[in-house]
Amino acid sequence: QRRRLAMGSFFVGVCMLMMLTTQSTDARITREDIRRAHLAVRERGGTSSPVADLRCEADSLPTAPEGAVKFFALGDWGVRGLDVGSEAQLDVARGISCAARAIRPRFIVTLGDNFYPKGVTSENDRQFSFKFEEVYRDDALHVPWFPSLGDHDHLGDVNAQSMYSLKSDRWSMPRAWYVEVIPLTNGGKLQLIFVDWVALEGRLSVS
C-alpha cells in the first residue's frame, strides 16, 4: 500500500513539474473565469436542447454501484462533416445521449483529437458548434466537459480550445495541462490530471 501511494505521489509530482515547463497554451484562465462565463451563457439561454427523435432502450445498461462516480470518456470524436466517420460521430452521440439519460454522468472527459483534421483556428471557429454543441446537445449531456488535446488538435490553435471555455457553458479547459478535483459523496476527492502528451512527447523525444 505504501509503495503504491509513493508511486502515485511520484507520478503526480512528475506531472506537475512537466505541467509547469511544457504548457502549450498561453491562456491564463482561472476556474472562476470559467464559472462566470458558464453562468453568463446559461443566462442567455444556454446551448442544450433535448433530442426529440431519440429512441432509447429501457434498462439496457447495468446499474451503477451506490456512491459510484459516474462519468463518460470519449476520444477521436470531432469528425462530423468529413468523408470518414461523420455518421459514426452522430451515432455515438445518440448512444451516449441515451446512456446519459439512464446513468446521469457528473462530467465528461475527452481524450484528445477533439477536432479533425487540423484542430481549430480560433475560439470562434465554426467547428465548436458543428462538431460539439450541435452534436452533443441533449440535456443529459449538459454537464461539465473536461477536454484534453491530441495530435490533430496540435495542428491548429490549441490556445483557442482553452479560450472557448469562456464562450461555452460546459467546455472547461483552463490550459493544456490542468488538474480537476471532484468531491465525492463519502467526503473523499477524485483528482483528474490532464496531460498534454503531444507536448510531452516532443519534449522527451530524441531528434
Side-chain angles (χ1 to χ4, degrees), residues 45-50 133 136-143 169-170:
T47 57
S48 69
S49 60
E133 302 288 2
Y136 307 103
R137 70 183 191 275
D138 194 73
D139 284 339
L141 300 177
H142 211 72
V143 296
D169 60 353
R170 50 182 168 160

Side-chain angles (χ1 to χ4, degrees), residues 58-70 99 102-104:
D59 302 323
S60 60
L61 295 171
T63 303
E66 183 69 27
V69 180
K70 296 176 285 187
I103 294 177
R104 294 295 172 181

